[in-house]
Structure formats: C-alpha cells, structure tokens
C-alpha cells in the first residue's frame, strides 16, 4: 500500500467512538461490490467531521485495501496487526486490528456463501413408509426438504422429497460426519478459495 494512503488513517481519530469506526468498516464491506452511494458518503463524511471531501476517498481506499487483505489473503487473525507499518499511530493500529479481527471470519463466510449460490435448508421433515419388493415390504424413510433459493434470477422456495433405505441412510450419516469435521476447519480452508475483489470506493 502506498505511503500516501497510510497517511490518511489518522483521520479516523476524528470519529466520535469505536462504534463509529466499526460502522464505517461495516458500510465498506456492505458496499464492496457497488461502491458507496451519496447517502453513505455523506454519513461517513459527517462521522469523521471532514473539512474537505477530497480527504475521504484516499481513506476509503486504504480501509478497503485492509479489508480485502484480511478477507481474501492468507492472513490469520493474529497476523492482522502486522499489516500496519510502524508509522501508523499505535491507537489506530489497535483499533483497526480489533475490529478487523472481530469481523474477519464473518466476512469470509459471507463471501463464501455469495460465491456458492446454492439453495439453503429451511426445514426438514420425515416419515416412515414401506417399499414393496418382490419378496417383502421394506421400511424406508421418506425425507422432505424445504429449500430457500436466494440466487437470481429466480429466488424462491423449493421442495425436494426422496426416500432412503437403511443401508443408504447409514452411508449418508457417515458422509455427514465427515462433512461436519471439515466444516469445523472452514476458517482455515476457506482462505485458499476466496476470489480477488474488485476495487470500489
């Protein structure tokens, strides 16, 4: 990051509180794909009590760069403070490190959900039934899933129904346990699968 961008971080001291800086970071994350609209810019401008609007964009570029590096690069929670050069005020380093650590995992998980775009499970019900075969009546579980599809262009609710015999269910459960174990490490594995974000202010 260029030296001139770091020079704008002290403007954050003008904010009224830690919550104000947190609001700025959350707004930048929320608008990462669209850029700030006029209303967002006005609010941040007032929060920082800026005299000149020209001071705002370099600060926003610097903060967006920090956010991108924390979310999209292989940077652990304990390594965030190392992103700052020594010339950045210690109180600014501590504040931004604390907030970026707070939101890093949440933002990474949100970015992964945005990438995948698969329907999410809303509800699951099941019932028992008998499946006729040539020799006997075999019990099966009838599974009914309600899925919410938030992806465009056709968001909405889906229903999927299928049946499982005992041996198939046992195989499925073993796979589910494996998936559970892998999800426990999603914080580490997700770092290698995040795309680069485009620059927006």
């Amino acid at each position: 990051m260029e030296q001139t961008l770091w020079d704008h971080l002290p403007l954050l001291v003008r904010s009224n509180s830690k919550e104000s800086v947190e609001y700025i970071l959350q707004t930048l994350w929320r608008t990462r794909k669209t850029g700030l609209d006029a209303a967002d810019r006005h609010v941040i401008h007032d929060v920082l009590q800026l005299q000149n609007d020209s001071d705002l964009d370099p600060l926003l570029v610097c903060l967006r760069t920090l956010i991108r590096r924390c979310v999209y690069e292989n940077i652990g929670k304990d390594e965030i403070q190392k992103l700052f050069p020594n010339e950045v005020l210690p109180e600014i380093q501590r504040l931004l490190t604390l907030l970026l650590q707070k939101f890093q995992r949440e933002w990474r998980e949100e970015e992964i959900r945005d990438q995948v775009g698969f329907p999410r499970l809303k509800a699951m019900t099941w019932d028992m039934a008998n499946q006729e075969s040539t020799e006997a009546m075999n019990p099966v579980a009838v599974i009914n899933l309600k899925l919410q599809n938030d992806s465009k262009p056709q968001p909405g609710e889906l229903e999927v129904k299928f049946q499982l015999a005992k041996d198939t269910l046992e195989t499925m459960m073993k796979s589910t346990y494996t998936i559970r174990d892998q999800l426990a490490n999603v914080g580490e594995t997700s770092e290698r699968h995040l795309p680069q974000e485009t620059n927006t202010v």
Side-chain angles (χ1 to χ4, degrees):
M1 196 183 301
E2 295 181 3
Q3 182 65 37
T4 53
L5 293 182
W6 291 117
D7 290 344
H8 286 80
L9 284 180
L11 292 173
L12 293 174
V13 176
R14 299 186 183 187
S15 63
N16 297 324
S17 63
K18 169 190 169 185
E19 287 72 23
S20 297
V21 179
E22 180 174 323
Y23 169 82
I24 293 172
L25 292 179
Q26 286 280 61
T27 301
L28 290 175
W29 174 254
R30 174 175 54 82
T31 61
R32 63 193 182 279
K33 297 179 181 178
T34 62
L36 294 175
D37 60 21
D40 288 327
R41 289 181 63 88
H42 181 72
V43 170
I44 294 176
H45 185 280
D46 288 351
V47 165
L48 297 176
Q49 305 175 52
L50 297 178
Q51 299 296 322
N52 299 313
D53 191 61
S54 60
D55 292 331
L56 184 57
D57 283 346
L59 172 62
L60 298 180
V61 170
C62 185
L63 293 175
R64 284 198 186 277
T65 302
L66 284 169
I67 291 173
R68 281 197 299 271
R69 294 195 65 185
C70 288
V71 175
Y72 297 95
E73 295 183 12
N74 189 20
I75 294 174
K77 186 176 180 181
D78 297 331
E79 300 174 312
I80 292 176
Q81 191 163 5
K82 298 177 183 178
L83 296 174
F84 301 95
N86 294 331
E87 54 267 26
V88 176
L89 294 174
E91 57 265 36
I92 296 295
Q93 289 191 43
R94 286 193 295 269
L95 176 59
L96 288 176
T97 298
L98 181 66
L99 292 174
L100 291 170
Q101 287 176 336
K102 176 180 179 180
F103 293 114
Q104 185 186 44
R105 181 168 182 172
E106 174 187 331
W107 289 344
R108 283 178 170 172
E109 291 176 350
E110 185 177 338
E111 187 65 21
I112 290 173
R113 289 196 298 271
D114 288 348
Q115 286 181 66
V116 174
F118 293 134
R120 56 186 173 85
L121 179 64
K122 285 188 66 177
M124 182 181 80
T125 58
W126 64 277
D127 201 355
M128 296 299 298
N130 288 317
Q131 181 183 45
E132 294 186 12
S133 67
T134 56
E135 298 180 357
M137 300 288 287
N138 296 320
V140 294
V142 179
I143 312 295
N144 187 52
L145 303 179
K146 285 190 177 181
L147 308 174
Q148 179 64 39
N149 182 18
D150 295 323
S151 61
K152 297 179 180 179
Q154 293 182 326
E157 193 173 278
L158 308 171
E159 280 202 31
V160 178
K161 183 179 290 189
F162 57 94
Q163 63 183 31
L164 295 173
K166 181 180 178 181
D167 55 346
T168 306
L169 182 60
E170 289 175 350
T171 301
M172 182 177 175
M173 291 302 297
K174 290 178 181 178
S175 298
T176 302
Y177 289 134
T178 302
I179 294 171
R180 179 198 61 185
D181 294 340
Q182 292 181 0
L183 286 176
N185 298 320
V186 67
E188 291 78 16
T189 58
S190 64
E191 296 169 356
R192 300 190 294 272
H193 299 287
L194 291 171
Q196 294 299 311
E197 184 190 7
T198 55
N199 290 321
T200 51
V201 176

